[in-house]
Amino acid sequence: MNTPLRRLSLVVALLFALLLGSATWVQFVDAGDLRDDPRNSRTLLAELGRDRGPITAATGEVLAESVPAEGPIAYRRTYPGAPSAATWAHVTGFYSVVYGATGVEDALGSLLAGTADELFYRRLSDLVTGREPSGASVELTLQPEVQEAAAAALGDQRGAVVALEPSTGRVLAMVSSPSYDPGELASLDTEQVRQAYARLLEDDTDPLVNRAVAGDLYPPGSVFKLVTAAAALETGDYTPQSVLPGPAELPLPLTTISLPNVSGEACGPGDEVSLADALRISCNTAFGSLGLSLPDGAVADEAAELGFGRALQVPLRVTPSTYPEDLDEPQRALAAIGQGSVRVTPLQVAMVSAAVANDGVLMAPQMVASVNAEDLSVVDAPEPRELGRAMSEDTAAALTEMMELVVQDGTGTAAQISGVDVAGKSGTAEVGDTDGDGSPEDPHAWFTAFAPAQDPQVAVAVVVENGGDAGSEASGGRTAAPIARQVVEAVIGR
Amino acid sequence: MAVVTQHAARSRRGTELLLLVLAVGVAVLAYGMVGLGVDGEWSAGLPQYGGGLAALALVVHGVLRWRAPYADPVLLPVAVALNGLGLAVIHRLDLAEGSAQAPRQLLWSAIGVVAATVVVVALRDHRLLRRYTFVAMAASLVLLLLPLLPVLGRTINGARIWIGVGPLSFQPGEIAKITLAVFFAGYLVTARDTLSLAGRRVLGLRLPRGRDLGPILVAWAGSVGVLVLQRDLGTSLLFFGLFVAVLYLATERVSWIAIGLVLFAGGAYVAYQLFGHVQQRVSGWLDPFDPEVYDRAAGGSYQLVQGLFGLANGGLTGTGLGRGRPDIVPFANSDFVLASLGEELGLAGLFAVLALYLVLVERGLRTAIGVRDGFGKLLAGGLAFTVALQCFVVAGGVLRVIPLTGLTMPFLAAGGSSLLTNWIIIGLLLRISDAARRPAPTPAPAPPGPATSETQIVRTV
């Protein structure tokens, strides 16, 4: 009977091998999928039970942190940002038991939670010492005084403000309005969270949307003339003194309509105007004709070099701005003045100014200064990174002078700061009838600027939706320029 | 060829003591760390628990030195380690769920150890059991039928396999595993020659004669009866598997396995067609992640899937004792104790525990190979295979190798009947292994010759 006994023990060994194999499948091979299954409450409980790292501003102010909580979930996320959590809400995002995470909480989620691969070796030592792993802390580049100034200047108006440091691409401020209280969504009372979230979702003003990088894209209006002007100067055929046609109305080829100036008057004597003056007074007909006479693709190429069409992560995901393809002639004229189907994010507009300010070199926008493990060792400290040269130094210098004229004696005088040379450009973007009530909405007011002109420390873009408080009377120069000025003042300390 | 070696028979009781210290040490450490993981301090009652487990282990060890000095030295430490780990996991779930199962389990462990000791002391020679072959058969029938009695029987979680007296409940079917193993061994050791030699050869298989098919048909009908009347898939599979295995051991004929598998497949198919709960188990096994199956109020795959989630979250090294959420899974300390263990001790821990079972089973089979009488071979082989099959059915159900059934992991899972039964199995295997490893009685003094000075053991290689 020993032979069948030996065979039987072989069968037993095979059965156990099958068990070991399937255990390996469940706990190792397929484990990732099983962990990610939404029905697996352990993953969420583990995540919530972890001491998530804090998010701080450039000067160390805590914007988001986990505090011990009573009950089944060990930690609760709080947002102590000043003057209110809402000021920082679109930067930090929220971290919710019910709805997951947004903003930096989402973009750097695995680092904050301590589960990122970059933290592998630290996790390994935690494993050996049996210590509960804790998340890395994230220090942002945003400066509280700039952020606060931007939020205060924008006030209750719908819109967004982005401020960049031109030489590095660091984001100094990013404000989107209206905002919300992320702490409300991070509550451990899930019913309260659901109600708050539903209320925010139903709000027509979309407070949850970060308009600075990820909202519905805006038509840029006349701030786009900077791109057209750069394209013209880059061809070498134009200088700031080049004379352009500037009639009261520019007949558009192939159509019966014509492109008018806002003022209804010609831009200069004899229906002619220099390129510099055209930018200074935001002459639509001059830029429209420039759009018609520039070589095919010149404006599109310049726009691409300035970042249009690029999917950036700063690390928030940035919706790519678009310059339309395959334009016919009237569309090219409209696109040249930022109408038609050109669409931008406020961050993109700030990048245009920043590239001009940085002698033509475009830096990648970056919100993160450093990521530090709990033991304060640096996990990641992003270096300033060039996205490329968007224009020659000469073009950048010429554009700078032209933009200074805009603020000194043009549409942007509201951005003047005594003792500081500010370079800027206004925009008033027609938006058409977006709500379908038969009458066009009030235009968006734009302003973008950088200062000081010869040693730029900040480039800023401001958009105020539908004219803000000024309504139909709004223009970029009147409504948005003062906001840009306050942000610049906050940076250069006046 | 047979190689004759001079081999002094050794009891290996010292080895056993060393392994016992290790087993108790691991179990006590696990029990204590449960408290550390949950509350940050060593588990309360650690001295009582550790002392109790160590005392139980030493009692059996002492009795073995006294009454069965040549018993296998590995069986007892493995059983103690598994029993102790089970207590730790049950204590861990007590902390999570606010229950108090661990003290009960410790009490049942003591009862089980006493039973094993009684087996070793009272049963001087396992061959005595052969006399009770048909008594064992009758006892098996009674034990299996008891839960069907109107007053005594109880239906718990849909299976009518329990009897209850006052607050106590017991699964007599567990004990029936032993009596059936005795009956099968006793019956087949007598009938093996008829069963193995008569019959025609068909396609290389020697088929048994029609009249010899009787016993296997009875066993099949019995296990199907258990399935139908008591709605207990696992036990039914276990009994039938045990019978086929012992039949194969006795006759050495593969045809019995083929016939057994065909009968089992047929029975399973009919059961699947007839019974809703069988269909639910199968669909829960094939498509556990289908929301419809998952959300089904009764007989859905919620338990299985949550068990898999727990295992996945444990990963390679586990969350650490007291740091996972095994309490999310229903029946985490009995049917799904393996998922609890895998979550907190990881794949590594699960491998270690499965390896312990494998060692236990292979030592049992090794005993069967070593023992000289046919009855002992069949009994030891049958008992060892029962443990193996039960492990496979339970672990296979939890790990989604086969459909889930209602069995529990030997020694590990909470449950008195199971613990008592498995300790009795250990007692029997210890007794048989003593017979297997004991040196043959020294022959009567022969005239002085070259080969009489020492005991000889013939080892076949």
Side-chain angles (χ1 to χ4, degrees):
Chain A
M1 277 185 269
N2 284 353
T3 311
L5 275 168
R6 284 182 212 285
R7 288 201 189 124
L8 197 64
S9 67
L10 201 65
V11 169
V12 169
L14 283 176
L15 290 180
F16 273 77
L18 207 56
L19 292 181
L20 297 183
S22 63
T24 309
W25 177 264
V26 171
Q27 296 202 265
F28 182 64
V29 182
D30 200 29
D33 286 347
L34 288 169
R35 277 193 288 261
D36 292 342
D37 191 299
R39 290 170 290 196
N40 188 350
S41 51
R42 285 178 182 78
T43 306
L44 187 65
L45 288 171
E47 180 112 313
L48 293 169
R50 219 172 274 133
D51 188 3
R52 206 173 159 85
I55 302 173
T56 62
T59 43
E61 280 87 347
V62 175
L63 305 178
E65 66 182 341
S66 287
V67 294
E70 294 295 317
I73 296 169
Y75 292 96
R76 185 168 58 86
R77 201 71 172 155
T78 59
Y79 296 90
S84 77
T87 309
W88 299 89
H90 291 105
V91 174
T92 59
F94 61 78
Y95 179 74
S96 160
V97 185
V98 191
Y99 297 105
T102 63
V104 171
E105 293 273 30
D106 172 48
L108 297 181
S110 60
L111 284 164
L112 288 165
T115 56
D117 291 342
E118 294 94 316
L119 299 171
F120 177 75
Y121 291 104
R122 291 178 182 85
R123 289 219 311 280
L124 213 59
S125 73
D126 286 344
L127 198 69
V128 173
T129 55
R131 213 168 51 97
E132 194 72 36
S134 59
S137 62
V138 172
E139 186 186 309
L140 301 177
T141 57
L142 284 83
Q143 295 185 344
E145 62 270 30
V146 184
Q147 181 82 359
E148 285 166 33
L154 196 55
D156 295 337
Q157 305 174 97
R158 281 178 290 126
V161 178
V162 174
L164 300 174
E165 187 173 69
S167 56
T168 59
R170 287 200 179 113
V171 178
L172 303 177
M174 180 184 287
V175 172
S176 175
S177 168
S179 188
Y180 63 96
D181 177 10
E184 211 178 9
L185 299 173
S187 163
L188 298 183
D189 178 345
T190 54
E191 193 44 44
Q192 187 198 326
V193 171
R194 276 178 223 280
Q195 283 173 9
Y197 192 74
R199 178 169 48 74
L200 291 168
L201 269 190
E202 282 164 18
D203 193 328
D204 289 337
T205 62
D206 295 334
L208 288 173
V209 172
N210 183 351
R211 290 165 156 81
V213 295
D216 293 336
L217 297 177
Y218 296 104
S222 300
V223 291
F224 191 76
K225 287 172 183 162
L226 292 173
V227 180
T228 310
L233 293 170
E234 284 289 273
T235 60
D237 300 336
Y238 294 87
T239 67
Q241 286 71 44
S242 298
V243 175
L244 304 170
E249 287 192 7
L250 178 71
L252 294 177
L254 310 174
T255 67
T256 55
I257 58 167
S258 56
L259 177 66
N261 281 329
V262 179
S263 62
E265 294 167 12
C267 296
D271 285 357
E272 285 187 336
V273 63
S274 71
L275 178 59
D277 273 347
L279 192 79
R280 181 175 62 80
I281 62 173
S282 203
C283 177
N284 283 350
T285 53
F287 274 91
S289 67
L290 193 56
L292 292 174
S293 51
L294 280 174
D296 203 22
V299 180
D301 290 348
E302 184 57 42
E305 284 173 9
L306 283 162
F308 280 69
R310 289 183 87 132
L312 295 171
Q313 292 180 14
V314 297
L316 303 191
R317 228 171 267 281
V318 181
T319 312
S321 301
T322 56
Y323 182 85
E325 291 175 14
D326 300 328
L327 299 177
D328 62 18
E329 285 200 304
Q331 287 170 334
R332 277 169 59 190
L334 284 172
I337 63 164
Q339 296 290 155
S341 43
V342 182
R343 293 290 181 273
V344 296
T345 56
L347 176 69
Q348 174 62 66
V349 174
M351 285 163 68
V352 171
S353 280
V356 177
N358 194 38
D359 297 333
V361 176
L362 180 65
M363 305 302 291
Q366 177 58 259
M367 296 171 74
V368 175
S370 67
V371 178
N372 299 312
E374 199 200 17
D375 58 4
L376 300 182
S377 63
V378 177
V379 179
D380 187 23
E383 291 289 316
R385 185 167 62 90
E386 285 185 17
L387 282 179
R389 174 165 284 282
M391 63 193 79
S392 68
E393 277 187 56
D394 291 344
T395 301
L399 263 179
T400 302
E401 279 180 32
M402 289 159 68
M403 288 171 73
E404 283 182 76
L405 288 174
V406 171
V407 176
Q408 282 166 22
D409 188 21
T411 57
T413 49
Q416 288 174 2
I417 301 170
S418 74
V420 179
D421 292 330
V422 179
K425 179 72 192 88
S426 66
T428 308
E430 305 294 336
V431 290
D433 179 15
T434 51
D435 63 3
D437 64 358
S439 64
E441 314 303 323
D442 295 331
H444 295 330
W446 278 99
F447 201 83
T448 183
F450 63 88
Q454 298 317 313
D455 177 26
Q457 292 167 29
V458 58
V460 62
V462 177
V463 64
V464 181
E465 283 181 23
N466 303 123
D469 297 338
S472 62
E473 296 303 306
S475 70
R478 271 200 298 274
T479 309
I483 298 173
R485 186 194 73 229
Q486 290 173 54
V487 175
V488 172
E489 283 174 339
V491 175
I492 60 182
R494 288 176 191 249
Chain B
M1 65 181 278
V3 178
V4 181
T5 48
Q6 301 287 338
H7 206 71
R10 292 168 64 182
S11 75
R12 299 272 182 201
R13 292 269 74 80
T15 310
E16 180 180 77
L17 188 60
L18 202 69
L19 289 175
L20 275 177
V21 170
L22 202 65
V24 172
V26 166
V28 169
L29 206 61
Y31 192 90
M33 280 168 66
V34 163
L36 279 183
V38 175
D39 300 325
E41 45 195 68
W42 292 97
S43 298
L46 186 60
Q48 292 91 318
Y49 164 82
L53 194 69
L56 291 178
L58 286 178
V59 165
V60 190
H61 177 70
V63 167
L64 289 180
R65 278 187 185 272
W66 172 41
R67 274 301 175 84
Y70 290 97
D72 188 290
V74 184
L75 286 169
L76 178 64
V78 170
V80 168
L82 288 169
N83 197 157
L85 274 179
L87 278 162
V89 174
I90 291 164
H91 174 61
R92 188 259 171 278
L93 287 155
D94 278 350
L95 293 182
E97 296 171 349
S99 52
Q101 296 265 332
R104 273 173 67 106
Q105 183 81 348
L106 188 57
L107 182 67
W108 276 109
S109 306
I111 295 174
V113 164
V114 168
T117 315
V118 167
V119 167
V120 171
V121 174
L123 186 67
R124 302 298 299 273
D125 187 336
H126 63 272
R127 283 170 295 186
L128 290 172
L129 285 176
R130 197 177 162 185
R131 294 181 194 161
Y132 303 103
T133 298
F134 289 95
V135 174
M137 181 191 75
S140 307
L141 275 178
V142 170
L143 286 169
L144 283 176
L145 293 177
L146 269 180
L148 296 176
L149 291 179
V151 182
L152 213 52
R154 286 191 185 167
T155 303
I156 300 181
N157 306 320
R160 197 171 172 87
I161 51 174
W162 301 78
I163 56 169
V165 181
L168 297 171
S169 53
F170 193 80
Q171 278 178 281
E174 286 281 348
I175 298 286
K177 280 193 302 199
I178 299 171
T179 53
L180 277 175
V182 172
F183 164 60
F184 290 158
Y187 168 73
L188 289 170
V189 82
T190 317
R192 54 189 293 234
D193 289 346
T194 356
L195 290 173
S196 59
L197 297 178
R200 287 179 299 134
R201 284 188 83 84
V202 176
L203 295 173
L205 283 180
R206 188 180 291 277
L207 290 182
R209 293 178 302 181
R211 65 184 115 148
D212 294 331
L213 277 173
I216 193 170
L217 288 177
V218 169
W220 178 73
S223 61
V224 170
V226 168
L227 176 68
V228 175
L229 297 173
Q230 304 180 339
R231 302 164 60 93
D232 187 2
L233 287 168
T235 310
S236 151
L237 175 62
L238 194 60
F239 288 164
F240 194 63
L242 168 65
F243 182 71
V244 172
V246 180
L247 195 56
Y248 169 66
L249 290 184
T251 62
E252 305 194 16
R253 281 173 55 175
V254 183
S255 63
W256 283 117
I257 293 182
I259 292 170
L261 287 178
V262 168
L263 281 175
F264 174 76
Y269 180 74
V270 172
Y272 177 77
Q273 294 297 329
L274 290 182
F275 302 117
H277 68 283
V278 179
Q279 288 167 14
Q280 286 176 354
R281 291 288 170 88
V282 172
S283 66
W285 168 57
L286 291 175
D287 302 301
F289 299 101
D290 182 342
E292 203 177 303
V293 178
Y294 177 80
D295 291 327
R296 201 157 50 202
S301 61
Y302 175 83
Q303 183 187 27
L304 174 64
V305 169
Q306 287 300 330
L308 292 175
F309 286 163
L311 287 167
N313 274 61
L316 291 181
T317 51
T319 58
L321 279 169
R323 294 192 169 187
R325 291 300 303 271
D327 51 307
I328 293 175
V329 185
F331 297 101
N333 66 9
S334 54
D335 292 21
F336 269 68
V337 68
L338 218 52
S340 307
L341 200 126
E343 176 173 355
E344 301 212 319
L345 294 180
L347 187 61
L350 198 57
F351 267 34
V353 167
L354 287 174
L356 281 178
Y357 280 113
L358 187 60
V359 166
L360 185 73
V361 171
E362 296 290 356
R363 292 310 293 192
L365 291 172
R366 174 73 214 152
T367 295
I369 290 173
V371 79
R372 296 169 193 82
D373 68 297
F375 174 76
K377 280 182 188 299
L378 292 184
L379 183 57
L383 289 174
F385 185 71
T386 320
V387 175
L389 191 58
Q390 185 159 352
C391 285
F392 178 73
V393 169
V394 179
V398 172
L399 293 168
R400 229 186 124 210
V401 180
I402 56 171
L404 202 56
T405 59
L407 289 177
T408 56
M409 256 350 233
F411 295 109
L412 215 52
S417 345
S418 166
L419 205 49
L420 174 61
T421 307
N422 285 302
W423 271 114
I424 295 177
I425 291 177
I426 291 296
L428 287 169
L429 287 177
L430 284 171
R431 168 49 67 212
I432 302 172
S433 67
D434 179 58
R437 300 177 71 250
R438 185 189 296 275
T442 328
T452 53
S453 53
E454 269 196 76
T455 307
Q456 284 187 358
I457 289 179
V458 178
R459 179 194 274 175
T460 39
V461 178

